[in-house]
Amino acid sequence: MIRIEHLSKIYQTKTQVDALKDISLHVQPGDIYGIIGMSGAGKSTLLRCISFLEQPTSGSIFLDGTDMSSVSPRQLQEIRKEMGVIFQGYNLLMQKTIRKNIAFPLELNKTPKADIDKRVDELLRIVGLSDKADFYPAQLSGGQRQRVAIARALATNPKVLLCDEPTSALDPLTTRSILELLRDINRNLGVTIIVITHELGVVRSLCQKVAVIDQGSIVEQGLTAQVMDAPQNDITKLLISTAGGR
Ligand code: ADP
């Protein structure tokens, strides 16, 4: 589904920042793949590269076998629809109702109005917010706003959902319900999910596979259960010990 090969990203500021170094990763259809690391490890940069918001300095990303560096800007626009992204802080349009927020990507797509209404109703049902359609984001809790962001990201029926720290601003109970929703979306809609997080609990309860990233490099990857049971790298051990034991 997504194959990353030898991906590097260098930011040229006053000094050179090697944000990603020789990253290789293979996400298969149906995976829920966690990418975990400390702050500054390179997680968000990796997510921006995977979602084509940022150009890698070198290396390749293949989506369903297509080398993304070889496609035209027009093709890239089409392929982007295969990917839904939920960002930290939700990025909702505060002046628009929940219905309008979810409809937004469909309007951009020039989807007929009747189809938009039907799809938005369906999405509201999936995320459990049918009764909030005419509310504004400011009238919702953090967890509900995240549900709106998830519905909006799913609007165009993407194959992949990329989630940047989806629960970092939420309390434990709300976190649990959002993780449950993501699990249902993966299981019932067959959407492949990539989750960027610094929270080990998220990886443990949601992701079958995990990659641990430190200072721009993947230091460990594999099945979550195996990595958690027998961590090889000091950063993984640190993440486990600071999360309250294994
Ligand atoms: P994380 O998401 O794991 O906290 P980031 O991907 O945001 O890490 O950052 C990785 C490294 O790249 C950090 O050292 C950060 O300062 C640097 N970085 C990120 N974005 C930029 C940018 N636009 N310009 C320069 N340096 C950046």
Side-chain angles (χ1 to χ4, degrees), residues 33-85:
Y33 208 117
I35 296 169
I36 189 167
M38 304 286 187
S39 180
K43 305 181 295 296
S44 300
T45 306
L46 180 57
L47 189 106
R48 288 198 300 272
C49 287
I50 298 175
S51 56
F52 318 116
L53 294 170
E54 188 123 54
Q55 281 273 348
T57 307
S58 60
S60 310
I61 300 178
F62 296 87
L63 182 64
D64 285 337
T66 305
D67 182 349
M68 299 309 300
S69 62
S70 69
V71 302
S72 67
R74 200 193 180 87
Q75 281 172 305
L76 186 61
Q77 241 181 357
E78 278 307 305
I79 293 170
R80 268 224 187 97
K81 290 180 196 156
E82 305 284 332
M83 278 194 191
V85 187

Side-chain angles (χ1 to χ4, degrees), residues 98-229:
I98 302 314
R99 174 178 291 285
K100 284 275 179 196
N101 265 278
I102 299 173
F104 191 61
L106 298 168
E107 284 167 0
L108 285 182
N109 251 354
K110 305 209 177 348
T111 306
K113 169 97 173 63
D115 293 349
I116 293 182
D117 290 345
K118 202 165 144 234
R119 179 73 182 136
V120 172
D121 284 341
E122 193 178 7
L123 288 159
L124 283 165
R125 229 178 4 258
I126 290 171
V127 300
L129 288 179
S130 297
D131 56 335
K132 301 282 189 283
D134 299 318
F135 282 47
Y136 287 85
Q139 297 171 300
L140 300 189
S141 69
Q144 290 168 334
R145 287 184 203 186
Q146 187 60 290
R147 284 171 184 269
V148 178
I150 292 170
R152 183 183 55 184
L154 292 176
T156 55
N157 264 320
K159 290 185 192 152
V160 184
L161 185 62
L162 303 174
C163 310
D164 192 2
E165 300 278 6
T167 58
S168 60
L170 305 176
D171 64 62
L173 215 61
T174 312
T175 291
R176 206 191 294 167
S177 79
I178 291 294
L179 297 183
E180 228 160 77
L181 174 62
L182 291 173
R183 217 174 288 126
D184 286 348
I185 286 166
N186 171 259
R187 204 172 23 217
N188 302 336
L189 308 179
V191 177
T192 301
I193 297 181
I194 300 177
V195 182
I196 298 281
T197 184
H198 67 277
E199 295 173 289
L200 193 80
V202 169
V203 170
R204 267 198 185 127
S205 77
L206 183 65
C207 308
Q208 305 112 359
K209 295 179 188 168
V210 64
V212 183
I213 183 167
D214 181 42
Q215 295 180 43
S217 300
I218 290 182
V219 293
E220 190 153 352
Q221 61 182 307
L223 293 173
T224 304
Q226 285 174 4
V227 171
M228 294 298 142
D229 280 351

